[in-house]
Amino acid sequence: MKNKALFFILMIVSAFALAACGSSDQTGEKWSEIEEQGEVVVGTSGTLYPASFYPEGSDEELTGYDVEIMREIGDRLGLEVKFEEYGVDGLLSAIKSGRIDMAINDMEVTEERKKEFAFSDPYKYSYSTMIVREDDLSGIEKLEDLDGKVAGGGATTVFAEISRHFGAEVKTYGNVTNDVYLRDVENGRTDLIINDYYLQSLALKALPDIDVTLHPDLKFHPTNSAIVMPKDAGTLQQKVNETLNEMREDGTLTEISKEFFGGKDASKKPDEDIREIEGLDL
């Protein structure tokens, strides 16, 4: 009887040990695969200035804040970085399908996304602003005035959710460049674009001939941007976080940010009075 009880206990202990090993192997599988290949495949849009874009007159050398951060992470981990371009709405599905190992494209960390994906520590802190027509601010004085307006954006972005939350219709686009969005606001096809403060500020600076502007009074929804990975890629997540922490401590994140954000450090939390949006389920 004692031998049977001992055998039963050993079986339970073995089962727990095997389960633990299986879990560890699963979280490390993605990193082992990447390390063996010596290459990490990263999804990005290539059309999001200044996070991920091609310099004017070049269609060969992708660059940007996010792109150069990813290249630096690859260098420090001894990996070649291969970029694959997708529209914003296609990046998360590309991770799920295994077509890419991770995505970096000013992707906001949300509770809903964390149910399906793993995120690195944030490499960028910001908040949302709104591009409107220059002559009349598109008839918008407060966020509640979005009711009945048309907002340009990607279908599955957080910014589209904010627009819908306040009653706007969202006009969606494929993987198009900033000038397409801005000219649609200028000519009245849309009324506004909600997006990141840093990205919108620099987009306007790069396209000064388009008669649109940042809304002078609306700053809302503080954000954290991070690298997105498969949910079970625990070891990969750890490696990326360790590298990002090194880059933060040695000033590399600040240096890259100032290069692409007009001397501003987007790697640190902004000191601004920013409106939190109540009831927004992200």
Side-chain angles (χ1 to χ4, degrees), residues 58-207:
S58 169
D59 59 358
E60 296 181 1
E61 186 61 24
L62 190 67
T63 189
Y65 179 57
D66 291 35
V67 169
E68 298 309 328
I69 283 175
M70 195 64 244
R71 284 200 174 111
E72 182 68 18
I73 290 172
D75 285 345
R76 296 190 185 205
L77 291 176
L79 301 171
E80 291 289 329
V81 179
K82 179 183 178 182
F83 289 103
E84 296 282 352
E85 293 173 30
Y86 292 85
V88 174
D89 295 332
L91 288 169
L92 298 182
S93 60
I95 294 174
K96 281 185 176 181
S97 67
R99 296 195 300 273
I100 58 177
D101 300 313
M102 60 179 75
I104 186 167
N105 200 69
D106 203 51
M107 301 289 285
E108 182 179 343
V109 182
T110 70
E111 291 304 314
E112 196 64 30
R113 286 174 176 172
K114 284 165 69 174
K115 294 176 184 177
E116 299 185 81
F117 303 94
F119 285 85
S120 71
D121 294 335
Y123 60 85
K124 176 171 171 281
Y125 299 91
S126 187
Y127 54 90
S128 298
T129 54
M130 186 187 304
I131 285 178
V132 290
R133 283 185 287 279
E134 194 163 21
D135 57 352
D136 64 351
L137 302 183
S138 297
I140 298 168
E141 295 182 7
K142 54 188 184 299
L143 287 172
E144 286 72 16
D145 293 335
L146 269 62
D147 190 18
K149 301 291 186 182
V150 180
T156 62
T157 65
V158 171
F159 309 114
E161 289 302 314
I162 294 173
S163 298
R164 294 188 189 102
H165 179 75
F166 287 101
E169 174 191 347
V170 177
K171 172 179 167 59
T172 60
Y173 295 78
N175 198 24
V176 299
T177 52
N178 285 330
D179 63 302
V180 177
Y181 286 94
L182 299 187
R183 292 197 185 281
D184 273 5
V185 174
E186 179 188 44
N187 62 35
R189 289 194 181 95
T190 60
D191 299 300
L192 64 129
I193 306 163
I194 293 177
N195 211 302
D196 173 76
Y197 160 72
Y198 290 108
L199 299 188
Q200 298 211 114
S201 298
L202 288 170
L204 293 181
K205 186 176 180 180
L207 299 162

